[in-house]
Amino acid sequence: EVEAAQKISIPVQIPDRFSAGEIQTMDEPSAGEEFTVSLPYVNKGKISVSNVEAVIKTEMKAGETYKYLGNVEAGTSGTLDFFVTPEEAGDRKVQIILTYENSAGHEKTLKKEKVFHIAEGEFEEDEELFGEDMMTGAEGQTGMDSGSKVKTGVLAAGGGITAALATGLLRV
């Protein structure tokens, strides 16, 4: 009787289930005002993913463009927040790129993209609403004397007080 024994190893790879949601914001973005861009993520897998990094790409000013999250354990979730400031109104694209290593050590990439509509900033809206003619008097002067620092500050504040000051109905 002859017997033989041989060990066979079969590598078992558990698929990663790391994913990201859609880019979102709770703010209503306006030109010249900082707002938060968020990206939710979750690891639905049975093992952690390693070396998770995020990069934001946009034509808007971004305070921080790179974030390192490290390892994201199985069953955990979170949100990445970036702060951006658009300089002009219009449609502005944001792309967030996540890279991570799965359990086999292979690098994977997730890309998320969204276009935000940026509204005009408040000061620009005041200029459009009241126009250049209402900001100056008929003679082309503001009608304010050298002690008008308070008047200028109120004028720049906007709203109904601005209209009353600009038309001369309200004197400070």
Side-chain angles (χ1 to χ4, degrees), residues 118-147:
I118 309 301
E120 292 287 335
E122 286 186 34
F123 183 71
E124 294 168 344
E125 288 176 3
D126 285 346
E127 286 180 344
E128 289 176 15
L129 184 63
F130 297 113
E132 182 64 29
D133 292 338
M134 290 193 71
M135 293 300 204
T136 59
E139 302 85 34
Q141 298 177 4
T142 61
M144 296 180 198
D145 58 12
S146 61

Side-chain angles (χ1 to χ4, degrees), residues 51-57 62-70 80-83 95-99 107:
N51 298 319
V52 180
E53 302 172 307
V55 175
I56 186 170
K57 293 188 176 185
E64 186 177 17
T65 58
Y66 171 83
K67 293 192 182 238
Y68 180 76
L69 294 170
L80 282 164
D81 292 325
F82 289 95
F83 300 98
Q95 182 182 53
I96 298 177
I97 303 164
L98 286 169
T99 57
E107 187 173 282

Side-chain angles (χ1 to χ4, degrees), residues 1-170:
E1 224 178 272
V2 178
E3 284 186 32
Q6 186 174 12
K7 287 188 175 185
I8 299 175
S9 65
I10 301 172
V12 176
Q13 185 164 352
I14 300 172
D16 70 81
R17 293 183 57 207
F18 182 73
S19 64
E22 296 302 316
I23 296 173
Q24 56 196 11
T25 186
M26 299 300 289
D27 306 315
E28 292 184 29
S30 295
E33 295 180 18
E34 180 181 83
F35 71 100
T36 306
V37 174
S38 300
L39 181 68
Y41 62 88
V42 63
N43 183 0
K44 294 180 184 177
K46 297 189 185 283
I47 54 172
S48 66
V49 292
S50 305
N51 298 319
V52 180
E53 302 172 307
V55 175
I56 186 170
K57 293 188 176 185
T58 181
E59 56 197 27
M60 296 181 278
K61 287 183 182 179
E64 186 177 17
T65 58
Y66 171 83
K67 293 192 182 238
Y68 180 76
L69 294 170
N71 297 342
V72 177
E73 298 300 319
T76 60
S77 63
T79 303
L80 282 164
D81 292 325
F82 289 95
F83 300 98
V84 296
T85 305
E87 294 179 344
E88 302 176 344
D91 291 338
R92 301 286 176 255
K93 182 170 76 167
V94 170
Q95 182 182 53
I96 298 177
I97 303 164
L98 286 169
T99 57
Y100 65 95
E101 293 175 7
N102 64 11
S103 62
H106 299 119
E107 187 173 282
K108 293 197 164 194
T109 303
L110 298 173
K111 292 182 182 181
K112 295 293 181 169
E113 207 171 274
K114 182 169 183 164
V115 175
F116 288 99
H117 178 72
I118 309 301
E120 292 287 335
E122 286 186 34
F123 183 71
E124 294 168 344
E125 288 176 3
D126 285 346
E127 286 180 344
E128 289 176 15
L129 184 63
F130 297 113
E132 182 64 29
D133 292 338
M134 290 193 71
M135 293 300 204
T136 59
E139 302 85 34
Q141 298 177 4
T142 61
M144 296 180 198
D145 58 12
S146 61
S148 63
K149 291 181 182 173
V150 172
K151 293 178 190 176
T152 304
V154 173
L155 184 63
I161 294 174
T162 303
L165 281 172
T167 59
L169 296 174
L170 178 65

